[in-house]
Amino acid sequence: MDKLLKIGEVAKQANITVETLRFYQSEQLLIPKMSNQSGYRLYSVQDQQKLNFILHSKKVGFSLSEIKQLLSLRTDKDQHTCEEVKNYTGDKIDEIESKIHDLQKMSLALSNLHNACCGGSESAKQCTILNSLDDPELFANSNNKTLGKNHD
Amino acid sequence: MDKLLKIGEVAKQANITVETLRFYQSEQLLIPKMSNQSGYRLYSVQDQQKLNFILHSKKVGFSLSEIKQLLSLRTDKDQHTCEEVKNYTGDKIDEIESKIHDLQKMSLALSNLHNACCGGSESAKQCTILNSLDDPELFANSNNKTLGKNHD
DNA sequence: CTTGACCCTAAAGTACACTATAGGGTTTAT
DNA sequence: ATAAACCCTATAGTGTACTTTAGGGTCAAG
Ligand SMILES: [Zn+2]
Ligand SMILES: [Zn+2]
Ligand SMILES: [Zn+2]
Ligand SMILES: [Zn+2]
């Protein structure tokens, strides 16, 4: 019933290498059970969910040691007080909200560039609308200026 | 009129070290003008905005080489066609939206933990509500389960 | 019963993003 | 005019997160 996958199958599904999975084990991030007749690693569905969390967290800029702490909130509850859990999660939530905010600004700035550009095969140097936003949009603290379309 | 700051002042404002700024120059990411009487680096307001963009982009998981490409959209327009610009920005926007999505899931999962935990000084092992969410919330593909409050 | 695809450990090597060190010039304030 | 506080270059070293190498076991298919 509890489907266990071997390292190669997990790696393939997650689009990472088996070496990365062994590395995560050596770092105590994701510890599968080991088959005691073959010595092979066997990953449960929960292990695969955990791996998903690791990969998504990495993508948005968390380090492996931060991810380890996040995972330990669930796994090592008895090592923390409720106060610690509450403070830590509160701080992380703030951090995440700030990342979301930064990403929304970047998305807006790039959308302005994207919408302004005609997408044709000529040099973007000629793209006057692209030229017209020559100071701010891509940078932080940008304002929400909307632009028209097309060249010249 | 154009206020130029020395490296130490810029570093202090951005809360990074002068070595990092010199490193960014060596990587062609942020190239200030050099005073030709003292040989000191002089950073313009635009340079500082650029630095802001670099720092915010880094925070959300972009590598220095990705950031360099993003910056080059504005700086080296003549080296790209409109088509390239449009495709590149389109792809980056998708990537950013996906990061936002992941962060929103993490935020929700951590908020559930945060709201469930009483914040008291006892071991979180005792925190039955924290115990009750013992499989999914923190992990990817989580669903939006809302929890009550308090211990026992 | 062997061959190929897969798995194992241990240890060395690599890419990225800094960080520190050595040796020296510039500015500013007393 | 001299000393603290700042700046410079060049180069070596560090931490993180893998990646590769070397030398073997395991397992399903033919
Ligand atoms: Zn264009
Ligand atoms: Zn165009
Ligand atoms: Zn609690
Ligand atoms: Zn509690």
Side-chain angles (χ1 to χ4, degrees), chain B residues 8 22 39 41:
Chain B
R22 287 196 276 252
R41 287 164 179 81

Side-chain angles (χ1 to χ4, degrees), chain A residues 116-130 150-152, chain B residues 81-83 85-86:
Chain A
C117 188
C118 79
S121 59
E122 70 293 0
S123 158
K125 186 179 194 174
Q126 305 302 120
C127 195
T128 44
I129 298 179
L130 217 50
N150 222 340
H151 262 233
D152 290 312
Chain B
T81 65
C82 280
E83 194 179 10
V85 170
K86 192 129 190 147

Side-chain angles (χ1 to χ4, degrees), chain B residues 58-152:
Chain B
K58 247 174 55 66
K59 186 169 106 185
V60 293
F62 288 104
S63 70
L64 294 189
S65 92
E66 286 174 307
I67 295 168
K68 199 168 160 181
Q69 287 184 77
L70 284 165
L71 289 172
S72 101
L73 286 179
R74 288 177 60 257
T75 328
D76 316 318
K77 278 190 292 294
D78 49 334
Q79 311 228 32
H80 311 283
T81 65
C82 280
E83 194 179 10
E84 282 167 18
V85 170
K86 192 129 190 147
N87 289 338
Y88 186 76
T89 51
D91 290 352
K92 276 299 165 193
I93 290 163
D94 291 348
E95 206 179 307
I96 288 169
E97 293 301 326
S98 161
K99 282 178 193 236
I100 290 173
H101 181 245
D102 284 351
L103 283 167
Q104 279 166 347
K105 277 201 301 193
M106 289 182 71
S107 176
L108 180 63
L110 282 179
S111 292
N112 282 340
L113 267 185
H114 186 77
N115 294 331
C117 187
C118 78
S121 59
E122 70 293 1
S123 159
K125 187 179 193 173
Q126 304 302 119
C127 194
T128 43
I129 299 181
L130 216 51
N131 275 308
S132 76
L133 40 81
D134 224 346
D135 338 69
E137 302 302 316
L138 261 180
F139 298 145
N141 311 320
S142 66
N143 45 8
N144 183 352
K145 184 174 359 163
T146 312
L147 293 147
K149 275 179 207 275
N150 223 342
H151 262 233
D152 290 312

